[in-house]
Amino acid sequence: MMSLRRVIQIGVGLVLIGVVMGVGLRLYFTSGRLKALILPVISETLNRPVDLRDVQLGFWGGLHASVSGLRVSDRAGFGSDPFIQVEEGAFFLNFWPLLRGDVLISEVTFRGPRISVVMSEQGQANYADLIEAEESPKEEPASESRVTLPVLIIEKGAFYYVDRRDGFVLQIEGLDYRLDIAKKGLETTLNGDLLVQRLAWGKQGQADSLNTGSLRVMHRVRLADKTVYADAIEVAFGPVGITASGKVMVQDDGTNFDLRIDEPGLDLSEASSFLGSQIEGMHIGGTAAISASVTGLLKTVEPVRYPDIVAQIRLSQVAISGEALPGPVAVEAAVIVFEKGSLHLQSLVAKTMGASIQASGQVDGLWPPGPGVPNPARLAVQIEVPHLKDAIVGFLPKGYETDGKLSASIQALGTLDHFAPVLNPQAYQVTGNISLVNGTASMPDLRVPVERMEWSVALQAQDVMQIKQVSVRAGRSDVKVTGRGKGFVDWLVLGNGRPFVDLNVQSRMLDLDDLFPDPATLPPVEDATSGLLLAMRMMDGHVDLDIETMVSDSIPYGNVNGAMVMKNRILQVDSLRATVLGGSLTAQAQIDGRPDHGLFPVLASASLSRIETAQLLKDFMGWPIPLFGQMGTALKLNGHMDSTLTLVNHTMVADGEARLDDGHVVNWPWLQTASGFVPHVQFLNFSDLPLRSLVAPFKIENGRVFLNKMGFSSGESAFQVAGSVGMDGTLDVAVNADLPAARLNVAQLGLDRIPGLNVKPDARIPLLVHIGGTASKPKIETRVQADIQKKISGVVDSLKVKVKDKATDKAKGLIKSLF
């Protein structure tokens, strides 16, 4: 029996031999010598120039060469960046062949490798020369150096793919991969486990179209006679579990696929949570069954060929909800088929917000991948909404209600951008019909509800909308609109351009008093904005008006005709004509809606001809003056409107003039009553006062109407009126009356017949009347010249005539009603 001492001596000897051999190997296999052994093997295998920063021989875990700074050059013409770059790696070597100078690599470990694959603008791949080298192998080298690779390990690798033809980019980061290789005869088995932390793709220079989480692929494949048999491939991608089987055959002209891929039951709720970063705020429930096959040749060098892909997706009981949707969507069933390069939406049945939806469609040219050419697409949608109120519940402001049966049949024909799931509005056409019948509506700013509302709109090519009919009836009023519009789809989808409308508005009766309450009775609304102002901001267009009868402020207008033009936020009202108060009205206006907020400038002009004066004063101005005759007036105005398109009084500046050639006042004792303020003076016989050549120039400014020497004559008397009336009701008016003495009496005697007064028969007496205060409480002052007043007073005292003065209250009441 060997003694313990002898065992220790042998053990120590073996250790010393190992140490000596290790030191010897380290001294012999220097970095330069190892580079000379390893670099030719890698370079020959990859057919590329290869460079190493450093290589050292190691023994821990087995004999291996530890490398750093490994760079494999890219193919000529693809730039100076490396094709493969590895920061750290280890090549495990067979010991005895290495002593003979042969390099047999049994295992390779790469830490932090980066692989870059590029497809040029001409369709050439930067790895194509590697395939060509395999297809045309060189003669066997004299050296017996070869690679046997039972194990390949990649830790925290990265893979980048760029297609310069269309800018498509694929990024794989955080890649861990272990590949075990077993060879038996002519068959090689590859068992691999791949884990990817991040997978993303999109367009170069843009945000990622899809940025996923982790991906895991486990595979068991066999290689035999240039054929890869996929016995089992399992892909775990979040909630997605895909299985694949089949074979891949490497041929002289490419790679031939015959694969079957299945996802039998995808839980969309889990998928929605998994892709939450892509569809934030959305929730999708239901199931999807996916099956696909890939068959045919893949060839990435010219002429390029791609295999055929056939796939089918079946959706059932899918529920979609989220903040971006107006309401939840329930997809009862849908079948999507991908075949012969086209995506077919064979059927889709869904319900949302009380609407039933049926859709079908197709997108062509999606496969094989091209250089980014848009793909032809078409979609047909049928929508039925039995009760509109159910579809828009929650959208209308408080107090607004509407209902009716809505039907839509829409077809879209256009293009789908490459790798972008959004139709380009500038490259497709929408056609179809949208109609509403049995419509009703009620809202707080209408006195009467809309009892009938029907419309029919046809969508035509080139983004044209034909308004066949829009008819509305509410109370006594009816409105019918026909015409056309253009550019609404582009504006709605992309926010580009301004829609244009060309409309004709007709009505037999439009009673604005019946439709709209008095603005003074409505509560103030801070953000109230006129619908017409919103239309001016949104679109351009032309509108023709044809209204038989229109009632506003109790005044009927007949045969209202005119045209409105909207362009660049400016509304121009041209040649508005109507009959009113027995005469005619002509008006023009321009409203500037370009300011984003605040006040909006307005210019206007109007003229009235042969108007019944009594009706004008009473009905239009609210003045109870019994003035008869036909009057004409003209007005030019500029100022500002608020967001409700109501004139702001203090901003108005206007000039105008009214004329009355021949008229008369009947039973208007205002001057006679006002003269009662002059002691012992009364007007005589003003029950019928003829008027001639009444000229009334006026100006509106700073919230007041200024009368500038309004003059008229009646018989032998002349009158002039000057002053102003405020829109707040304040009065500051002076009346100068030049009266013959014969028109005055004292104690039933004419002034020219009173002894001691010495008034000549043709004498004139100036009467001055000032009206102040407010319309509700006027203050009236009346006087004549002082010397004449003194003579009148003296004569009256001598005659002891008692004149009762009760005119003050009568005059005040009359002036109050006048203004």
Side-chain angles (χ1 to χ4, degrees), residues 104 121 138 180 213 490 526 637 662 770:
L104 273 71
E121 292 87 344
K138 300 177 182 179
D180 294 316
D490 195 16
E526 293 182 0
L637 175 147
D662 192 5
H770 180 264

Side-chain angles (χ1 to χ4, degrees), residues 486-746:
K486 182 177 177 61
F488 280 89
V489 174
D490 195 16
W491 175 75
L492 284 171
V493 178
L494 292 182
N496 290 339
R498 290 174 61 81
F500 182 87
V501 295
D502 189 356
L503 305 177
N504 182 271
V505 179
Q506 296 178 320
S507 174
R508 291 189 300 271
M509 167 59 73
L510 185 61
D511 190 340
L512 301 181
D513 296 342
D514 184 40
L515 290 176
F516 301 105
D518 185 350
T521 65
L522 297 176
V525 180
E526 293 182 0
D527 59 350
T529 302
S530 167
L532 180 58
L533 179 59
L534 294 176
M536 292 164 51
R537 292 174 171 178
M538 183 185 77
M539 69 182 72
D540 296 333
H542 179 274
V543 181
D544 287 322
L545 299 175
D546 184 5
I547 304 172
E548 292 184 18
T549 303
M550 182 177 74
V551 179
S552 177
D553 293 330
S554 301
I555 301 175
Y557 296 80
N559 300 319
V560 181
N561 291 276
M564 296 190 301
V565 177
M566 296 183 295
K567 187 174 182 180
N568 297 328
R569 292 190 172 192
I570 295 178
L571 173 67
Q572 186 78 38
V573 181
D574 293 326
S575 301
L576 182 67
R577 291 182 171 86
T579 60
V580 60
L581 303 177
S584 62
L585 164 70
T586 302
Q588 295 83 32
Q590 177 180 293
I591 303 173
D592 188 347
R594 287 177 294 183
D596 292 329
H597 54 80
L599 301 180
F600 304 91
V602 58
L603 298 173
S605 63
S607 63
L608 295 166
S609 62
R610 303 185 64 82
I611 299 296
E612 291 296 338
T613 309
Q615 290 181 279
L616 173 67
L617 296 177
K618 179 181 178 182
D619 299 336
F620 201 86
M621 304 179 67
W623 294 356
I625 303 175
L627 176 61
F628 293 88
Q630 291 184 334
M631 177 179 285
T633 185
L635 170 73
K636 290 185 178 180
L637 175 147
N638 68 80
H640 289 81
M641 291 180 164
D642 60 18
S643 61
T644 65
L645 295 189
T646 301
L647 277 170
V648 180
N649 290 338
H650 70 272
T651 69
M652 290 172 50
V653 176
D655 289 287
E657 184 178 83
R659 287 181 174 273
L660 178 67
D661 293 330
D662 192 5
H664 59 281
V665 176
V666 178
N667 293 326
W668 187 37
W670 176 75
L671 290 177
Q672 182 175 352
T673 304
S675 70
F677 290 93
V678 182
H680 318 304
V681 178
Q682 290 181 322
F683 287 8
L684 294 176
N685 193 20
F686 282 98
S687 60
D688 189 351
L689 178 67
L691 301 178
R692 296 190 310 274
S693 302
L694 185 150
V695 180
F698 60 88
K699 184 180 183 66
I700 301 175
E701 192 172 16
N702 297 324
R704 300 190 70 83
V705 180
F706 293 90
L707 301 174
N708 183 18
K709 296 182 179 180
M710 181 182 79
F712 62 93
S713 61
S714 175
E716 299 175 354
S717 303
F719 301 89
Q720 282 192 343
V721 181
S724 66
V725 178
M727 294 182 181
D728 58 356
T730 58
L731 307 175
D732 184 10
V733 178
V735 179
N736 293 318
D738 185 16
L739 307 177
R743 298 290 289 176
L744 300 178
N745 71 4
V746 176

Side-chain angles (χ1 to χ4, degrees), residues 351-480:
K351 290 185 177 180
T352 180
M353 302 175 60
S356 299
I357 302 173
Q358 294 185 1
S360 61
Q362 181 173 328
V363 182
D364 297 323
L366 293 175
W367 187 262
V373 177
N375 310 109
R378 57 182 181 270
L379 178 69
V381 181
Q382 302 283 339
I383 301 174
E384 292 288 341
V385 184
H387 298 286
L388 187 60
K389 63 181 179 181
D390 296 332
I392 60 176
V393 61
F395 286 89
L396 294 179
K398 184 179 180 180
Y400 288 76
E401 295 181 0
T402 187
D403 200 2
K405 182 180 180 181
L406 179 69
S407 301
S409 176
I410 301 174
Q411 297 81 40
L413 177 64
T415 57
L416 190 72
D417 284 348
H418 194 53
F419 289 113
V422 177
L423 287 172
N424 178 4
Q426 298 176 344
Y428 75 96
Q429 300 174 355
V430 175
T431 58
N433 291 278
I434 305 174
S435 62
L436 176 73
V437 296
N438 301 325
T440 61
S442 62
M443 52 197 71
D445 43 5
L446 278 183
R447 279 181 172 173
V448 294
V450 175
E451 58 193 40
R452 192 198 71 202
M453 177 171 54
E454 296 185 354
W455 45 268
S456 176
V457 176
L459 305 177
Q460 300 177 344
Q462 286 79 46
D463 195 5
V464 173
M465 178 177 62
Q466 187 70 33
I467 303 173
K468 296 180 178 179
Q469 174 183 331
V470 175
S471 61
V472 179
R473 183 171 185 84
R476 306 196 320 148
S477 301
D478 64 273
V479 176
K480 181 179 179 181

Side-chain angles (χ1 to χ4, degrees), residues 57-134:
L57 197 65
F59 302 97
W60 188 260
L63 180 64
H64 63 275
S66 297
V67 299
S68 61
L70 174 64
R71 291 170 57 94
V72 179
S73 298
D74 208 342
R75 185 181 180 183
F78 283 85
S80 59
D81 292 337
F83 172 57
I84 299 176
Q85 181 176 347
V86 180
E87 289 301 321
E88 294 182 0
F91 295 85
F92 286 83
L93 310 171
N94 288 345
F95 176 71
W96 296 111
L98 184 63
L99 294 180
R100 299 194 303 267
D102 294 334
V103 179
L104 273 71
I105 302 175
S106 59
E107 179 180 325
V108 175
T109 298
F110 290 146
R111 298 180 182 88
R114 176 190 173 98
I115 303 173
S116 178
V117 175
V118 178
M119 187 70 68
S120 71
E121 292 87 344
Q122 294 75 31
Q124 293 290 326
N126 66 339
Y127 58 83
D129 58 329
L130 304 180
I131 301 175
E132 293 168 0
E134 291 182 359

